[in-house]
Every structure is written in structure tokens, then in C-alpha cells.
Amino acid sequence: MRQGVIRRFRGWLPEVPDHAVTTIGEGDTPLIEAPTLSERIGAKLFLKFEGMNPTASFKDRGMTVAMSRAVASGSRACVCASTGNTAASAAAYAARAGIKCFVVVPAGKIALGKAVQVLAHGAEIVQIEGNFDAALRISQQIAGDRGDVTLVNSVNPDRIQGQKTGAFEVCEVLGSPPDALALPVGNAGNITSYWKGFSEWRDAGYSGLAPRMLGFQAEGASPLVAGHDFENPETVASAIRIGAPASKEGALAAARESGGAIESVTDDEILAAQGLLAREEGVFCEPASAAGLAGLLKLAGEGRGPEGTVVSVLTGHGLKDPDVILDRVELPEPVAATFEAVAGRMERLVP
Amino acid sequence: MRQGVIRRFRGWLPEVPDHAVTTIGEGDTPLIEAPTLSERIGAKLFLKFEGMNPTASFKDRGMTVAMSRAVASGSRACVCASTGNTAASAAAYAARAGIKCFVVVPAGKIALGKAVQVLAHGAEIVQIEGNFDAALRISQQIAGDRGDVTLVNSVNPDRIQGQKTGAFEVCEVLGSPPDALALPVGNAGNITSYWKGFSEWRDAGYSGLAPRMLGFQAEGASPLVAGHDFENPETVASAIRIGAPASKEGALAAARESGGAIESVTDDEILAAQGLLAREEGVFCEPASAAGLAGLLKLAGEGRGPEGTVVSVLTGHGLKDPDVILDRVELPEPVAATFEAVAGRMERLVP
């Protein structure tokens, strides 16, 4: 039974007193075998499905640590600049902790559909007449000014600490680290976290090895591949639509130290991979999550794919972004309400 | 680590050969303490959050069993009449199993937003010029006619078998059955399943007790309370908008044999309960899921609430139905992109 990542991995995490532990049962997500896709990439592939966290993304692993420590330090509110998964997670964990949550966003840039969790959990959305950088800067200023407000953006180091627990779970289930780990790279906090986790696991003597870290950015938002920030990042994968990653150094170090790489994939490759995951393995993730598989398919196609055991981290649930599916479908015409008509439709597809 | 309900509870379930086991890591969902709501209802409340299943609803527990046995029997396709959680789960598990999935629905009655998972997983939606009864009847006829097509609506008894595993998990985590279990009642398969699970647990000698089963229907779709079917059921809680429950007898037996009851709650009570769960405990469920808490609050208000340990089953994730949140919100006006403006907004709420 899932007790949350703090109780499960306490010795590995920053200190949290019992009374402050704020959990909604995050972590312990399944590592799902992917037999069909394994054949496509020529390695044994597992999917770490982080969409099965309380707010349906991996952000909950870090947020439980950040929010618990905010509570422990006496915070009465938290603040973040985010229009996506971070805000959803912050809103849920703040509600759980009984403190107020403020989400600062550029005016007009928040799609209501993306904000449904923030709104449901009763967080306050503050729209500012400025861009994302201004939202983050003001959030930092407020947390710096008021001792009772905690910043929970990824610059909060407790977030990285919590997210590294995904690596521990992978090692526990497989019995050893995989040969490679593939994941999307946007703000670059998650690749930094996983590498930290695998490194600590190795340094603690549980294994002599650590996986090659393979990070994949969307082509239109690939500052780590291009070597410079993107002023106007563009990709269908909104969760990694970031032009100036906060954890740039951590991501580059992860790739370098592990003998891995950070490369890019196109939006078409991302959407194709998302479709394969849903239609061949039954796992529906948001577009950004599919960047890892898109990258593995690309490497395999070029004869450079990893061998052995490979884990792809699916960072969020497909329900986070329904429009990307709905924008591309059309329902077939209705048929008569008879056995013959429906059986005929079926017969054409399953003779 | 989650291995799926078949591997976990094999001795309690219909036979499935190893090669046919079709799992996406369903089950083993968290049982979340609800300290704030416990005070409101005057009993120790736990939330069984079934939204943390692969397709974000409890349906996955039954679907893994139904689909695995369909595969074992040589099925090449499955069919169901559903526009909601059943269809989403069937589509995912059929994709996983590598068989085709047909979802038969009344033309014009499927909201695309509700069908996003069905579409993502590549199931075929067949719209018919008829009502839901016709869709179900034709689906049954097709499964009866073709030996290689399995009906996966809740009339498939494997579904009930799989869903009963939720009761086992509750007993395992608490160490004994709770004093009462509260849950929404629509088609009535889940209350039937949980009662079957608790009864089997007791009959196997693991406990001398079984909980009072407290089922709650939405007032506008409450045939079990009214004593007659509803021709036009109406409620905001779409997952329990059912006028003629398939498992009516099972639900009535569960209430009778356990010393429980089936009562109704209004849409306003359901939405208020959904809001409390999200804002006070950090758990965002779909409206139907909140019917259990709505009922517990109603009983407590009338001095008839259960005492001791109470579990409320939250059947699906709030992301399943974003519109119910978005239809009721309005964002506050933007403020200037300055520290002072944002700090001022915050100051008003957290002085």
C-alpha cells in the first residue's frame, strides 16, 4: 500500500518531522513491461508511468517534500509561477497541508483547461501583465520578502530531492539499475533528479552501475541541444515548452557523467510515440511524456539505440491534455440501430 | 510495486493462464487519511482513491480480469455500450491485449471530451441511430453471435470479480474491515463487488465482521431509492446517471445483508462534497465519486452517521470531467507585473 515517498525513502531525503508530512499517496508507480515496443527499439523496454500519481504527474514526488518542509518551517502559503503540472501539484499539496497556494501567471497565457486542477483545489490564480520570467521573479521576491511564504518552483531544491525517488523505485523493481533511462527534458529538473537518485544508489553500494541518461527535448524547445536559450519555444508538448531550463547544468552533467546524451525529437515524432504507447501498450500519457520513446525510436532507427534494459519515464497522464487528441479526430457516420449494421461495421475491421 | 490485481489476488479470482494476463498496473491504490473531513462526519474517514488507476477509474480492476479471460478464450475483439469510464478502460486493456475494441453509443450522445481515452487507445466508436438500450442489446447480440468477440459491459461477471479486489485492499491496509463503506451507486456493479469482496474475506475467516454498505445515488437518478426505474435520469454526476441499474439485485442485497442502506443526495450536495475533498484533503475526484462523502455528510447532519472507521470509495479522477469545474469559475482581473501588486493581492488573503 502506498504510503508516500517521504515515509518510504526517509533516510534519503531532507529531514521532515512526522507532524509535517504532507502526502496524498504519491510514488510507487508501476513499471510496466512494453513487449511490443521492445521489439521496435531492440531492447527490453519498461514504462515508468508517473501519470498514476495523485495529480497525474511526476511533480507530486517533489511537491510532497517541498510542501512538507514548508509546513515544518511554519509557512502559511506557497507560491509558484507555472501554468501546468507544477501548479496542479502545488495546489493539491497546499490544500492537503492546509496552507494557501498562489499561482502567478502571465495574463491571458493560462488555458482554463490546463488550470482545472489549480481551480478545483482552491488555489488563487494571480494573472500579471507581464511574461513568465516576471511571474517567476515576483514569486521569488515574495518568498524572499515574507518568511511565511515558500516558493515551490523547481528552484526549490526539495523538489529535486523528492523526484529522485523515481530512480530508487526503478532500481528496486528491476533488482538493479537499467542500462539506460530515457526521459523528456524541459526545465531539466527531472533528468537532474533521476541522475542524482541513480548516483546516490550507486554510491551507497547497492549497485556498481548507473544507467546512461538519455534526455530528449522537443525540437522547437531544445536549448540544451542548440547550446543557447530559445526566446519563443514552440512544441505541441506543453510540459516541456521551455526556452531557458532552470536545471540546465544538472541535465548536462547527467548526460556527461553517465555517458548519455541530450538530443531532440520533432513534434511529429512525439505525437507518433504517444499514439504507439496508447494503442500498442495501453498506456495513455501526455505528449511531453512520449519524447523519451520518440527518442529511443529515433536512435534505434539510426542504429544507435541502447541495448539491454531500458526504462522510459512517462511523466504525466494523457488526461492532462485532451485537446491534442480531440483536435485530430473525426467520428465516423452513424449506422442504423440494428445488429446487421453494427456487425457489418465490425466485420470490415475484424473479418 | 504494483503488479496488477490478477497476480496479487489470483486465488480469489476466476482462472487466467499466465500468457493471457493483461495488466497495466491497476489496483493497489492508496487509502488516504482524511483528518479534516473526519471531524466533519464524526468518524475516522479514509479515502480509497481509485482515480489512481491506469485509466483513472476503478473500472480497471474488473477490466483486467474480463480482458485477460477474453484473451484466454481466443477473442479477437471486445465490445461494449458505454460513453464513459467503462469504454475508456475497455479501450486501454484491449490495446494492451492486442485485440480490437468496439464502443457502441447512441448517435450524438457522446461528448468528445468524454471519449478522449477511447480515441487515444485506438478503439472504434460505432454511433447508432438508437438509444443506449439498443446499443447494449446489439452489443450483446454481437458477442452472442460471434465466438471471437467478448462483451465487456458490467453484465460480464468477470468485471464484478475483479472489482471486489478493492475490498481486499481496504481490509489489508486497515488490518480489518472498516465499520462502514460509503460509495456512489449508478449501475450498482461496484457496491455489489465490494460486498462480494468483504463477504468472501469474512467467509475465508480473515475477519468475523463486514462493513455496513452505504450506497448513495444522485437524486435525479435514484431508481433504487424510488423503487422504480428512471426513464430520463438526470444528474451532474455523469458516471452514475443511470435509470435502470444492471446490478440492482446485488446492490439491494448488499445494503440488506450488511445492515446498510441506499439513499440519495442532491447534485448540490455532490458538488459541495467534491469541492471539500479537493480543497480540504487535496484529492480531486470526479463528481460521482463524491456522492459517498455527500451521503456521509448528510447522515452526520441528521445524527445518523456511521461511527468508527469509515472508507469512502472515490471511483474516478477529477480530470475525467474538467467541465464541471470550468463551468463554474471566473478568473480575477490581472494585476500589474510588480512585486507590490502581487504581494498586495496575497496580503488580502494571507495577512
Side-chain angles (χ1 to χ4, degrees):
Chain A
M1 176 54 54
R2 304 205 279 181
Q3 53 193 329
V5 301
I6 293 178
R7 297 211 177 92
R8 187 134 179 260
F9 296 108
R10 206 148 194 174
W12 302 81
L13 295 172
E15 205 174 332
V16 177
D18 272 329
H19 76 88
V21 173
T22 302
T23 177
I24 320 177
E26 66 290 327
D28 202 9
T29 54
L31 192 68
I32 303 169
E33 288 185 64
T36 310
L37 294 175
S38 290
E39 283 185 33
R40 285 185 187 260
I41 68 162
K44 186 155 179 56
L45 179 66
F46 292 86
L47 310 170
K48 182 71 173 159
F49 189 23
E50 292 288 289
M52 286 168 70
N53 274 299
T55 76
S57 91
F58 74 100
K59 303 280 186 181
D60 295 341
R61 291 182 187 275
M63 204 56 75
T64 181
V65 179
M67 203 64 70
S68 297
R69 284 172 57 83
V71 169
S73 73
S75 279
R76 297 166 62 217
C78 66
V79 62
C80 67
S82 163
T83 56
N85 291 338
T86 291
S89 186
Y93 282 80
R96 180 81 191 163
I99 70 175
K100 203 76 195 158
C101 177
F102 293 87
V103 175
V104 186
V105 296
K109 291 285 177 183
I110 187 154
L112 270 187
K114 281 274 163 191
V116 60
Q117 292 170 285
V118 173
L119 295 163
H121 289 296
E124 295 293 324
I125 294 177
V126 183
Q127 298 192 83
I128 60 161
E129 289 153 349
N131 61 14
F132 183 82
D133 289 343
L136 180 58
R137 191 184 62 244
I138 292 169
S139 298
Q140 287 174 310
Q141 284 176 322
I142 287 175
D145 179 63
R146 288 185 59 154
D148 61 352
V149 176
T150 297
L151 181 73
V152 294
N153 273 97
S154 66
V155 292
N156 179 326
D158 294 332
R159 296 268 312 279
I160 302 281
Q161 290 282 352
Q163 284 171 209
K164 77 184 177 190
T165 59
F168 300 158
E169 293 178 11
V170 167
C171 292
E172 282 186 348
V173 172
L174 294 179
S176 67
D179 295 292
L181 186 99
L183 77 180
V185 174
N187 212 20
N190 213 29
I191 189 170
T192 302
S193 303
Y194 268 88
W195 181 239
K196 182 172 172 61
F198 287 122
S199 301
E200 291 184 7
W201 192 261
R202 183 190 56 196
D203 295 348
Y206 290 113
S207 171
L209 304 167
R212 286 174 63 200
M213 302 295 289
L214 304 173
F216 296 97
Q217 300 205 288
E219 199 171 79
S222 53
L224 298 182
V225 180
H228 58 76
D229 288 354
F230 278 44
E231 194 147 340
N232 295 303
E234 269 311 325
T235 167
V236 68
S238 57
I240 53 173
R241 191 187 295 147
I242 290 165
S247 300
K248 186 197 300 190
E249 296 311 322
L252 295 173
R256 189 177 60 239
E257 294 170 12
S258 73
I262 296 177
E263 304 203 8
S264 69
V265 287
T266 67
D267 277 8
D268 284 349
E269 289 169 328
I270 287 173
L271 294 175
Q274 184 194 27
L276 287 174
L277 286 160
R279 293 194 309 271
E280 299 201 346
E281 303 294 356
V283 178
F284 179 34
C285 63
E286 65 176 332
S289 301
L293 175 65
L296 291 172
L297 289 167
K298 179 180 167 181
L299 295 186
E302 297 168 358
R304 315 187 278 133
E307 297 182 342
T309 300
V310 180
V311 170
S312 183
V313 182
L314 308 184
T315 45
H317 202 287
L319 285 171
K320 288 274 193 171
D321 193 354
D323 289 344
V324 77
I325 302 297
L326 300 178
D327 287 350
R328 291 180 295 159
V329 297
E330 215 170 300
L331 293 182
E333 286 299 297
V335 301
T338 62
F339 166 77
E340 290 74 19
V342 179
R345 174 72 64 89
M346 187 177 287
E347 186 78 22
R348 288 214 306 276
L349 290 154
V350 185
Chain B
M1 177 54 50
R2 306 204 279 183
Q3 52 194 329
V5 302
I6 293 177
R7 296 209 177 94
R8 186 133 181 260
F9 296 109
R10 206 146 193 176
W12 302 81
L13 294 173
E15 205 173 332
V16 176
D18 272 328
H19 76 88
V21 172
T22 303
T23 178
I24 319 177
E26 65 290 328
D28 201 9
T29 55
L31 192 68
I32 302 168
E33 287 186 64
T36 310
L37 295 174
S38 291
E39 282 185 32
R40 285 184 186 261
I41 69 162
K44 187 156 179 55
L45 179 66
F46 292 86
L47 310 170
K48 182 71 172 159
F49 190 23
E50 292 288 286
M52 286 167 71
N53 275 298
T55 75
S57 91
F58 74 102
K59 302 282 185 180
D60 295 341
R61 290 182 187 276
M63 203 57 74
T64 180
V65 180
M67 203 65 70
S68 297
R69 284 171 58 81
V71 169
S73 73
S75 279
R76 297 166 61 217
C78 68
V79 62
C80 68
S82 163
T83 55
N85 291 338
T86 291
S89 186
Y93 283 79
R96 180 83 192 160
I99 70 175
K100 203 77 195 156
C101 177
F102 293 87
V103 176
V104 185
V105 296
K109 291 284 178 184
I110 188 155
L112 270 188
K114 281 275 163 190
V116 60
Q117 292 170 285
V118 173
L119 295 163
H121 289 296
E124 294 293 324
I125 294 178
V126 183
Q127 297 193 82
I128 61 161
E129 288 153 350
N131 61 16
F132 182 82
D133 290 343
L136 181 58
R137 191 184 63 244
I138 292 169
S139 298
Q140 287 175 309
Q141 285 176 322
I142 287 175
D145 178 63
R146 286 185 62 153
D148 61 353
V149 177
T150 297
L151 181 73
V152 294
N153 273 98
S154 66
V155 293
N156 179 326
D158 294 331
R159 296 268 312 277
I160 303 280
Q161 290 282 352
Q163 284 172 210
K164 77 184 176 190
T165 58
F168 300 158
E169 292 178 12
V170 168
C171 293
E172 282 186 348
V173 172
L174 294 178
S176 65
D179 295 293
L181 186 100
L183 76 180
V185 175
N187 213 20
N190 213 28
I191 189 171
T192 301
S193 304
Y194 268 87
W195 181 240
K196 184 173 172 60
F198 287 123
S199 300
E200 291 183 7
W201 192 261
R202 184 188 56 197
D203 296 348
Y206 289 113
S207 170
L209 304 166
R212 286 174 63 199
M213 302 294 290
L214 303 174
F216 296 97
Q217 300 205 287
E219 199 172 78
S222 54
L224 298 181
V225 180
H228 58 77
D229 288 354
F230 279 42
E231 194 147 338
N232 295 304
E234 269 311 325
T235 168
V236 67
S238 58
I240 54 172
R241 191 186 296 147
I242 290 164
S247 301
K248 187 197 300 189
E249 297 310 324
L252 295 172
R256 191 176 60 241
E257 294 170 12
S258 72
I262 295 176
E263 304 203 8
S264 68
V265 286
T266 66
D267 278 7
D268 283 349
E269 289 169 328
I270 287 172
L271 293 176
Q274 183 194 26
L276 288 174
L277 287 160
R279 292 194 309 270
E280 299 201 346
E281 304 293 357
V283 179
F284 180 34
C285 62
E286 68 175 330
S289 301
L293 175 65
L296 291 171
L297 289 167
K298 179 181 167 181
L299 295 185
E302 297 169 357
R304 315 187 277 132
E307 297 181 342
T309 300
V310 179
V311 171
S312 183
V313 182
L314 308 184
T315 45
H317 203 286
L319 285 172
K320 287 275 195 172
D321 192 354
D323 290 343
V324 78
I325 303 296
L326 300 179
D327 288 350
R328 291 180 295 159
V329 297
E330 215 170 302
L331 293 183
E333 287 298 300
V335 299
T338 64
F339 166 76
E340 290 73 20
V342 178
R345 172 73 62 90
M346 188 177 285
E347 186 78 22
R348 290 215 305 277
L349 291 154
V350 185

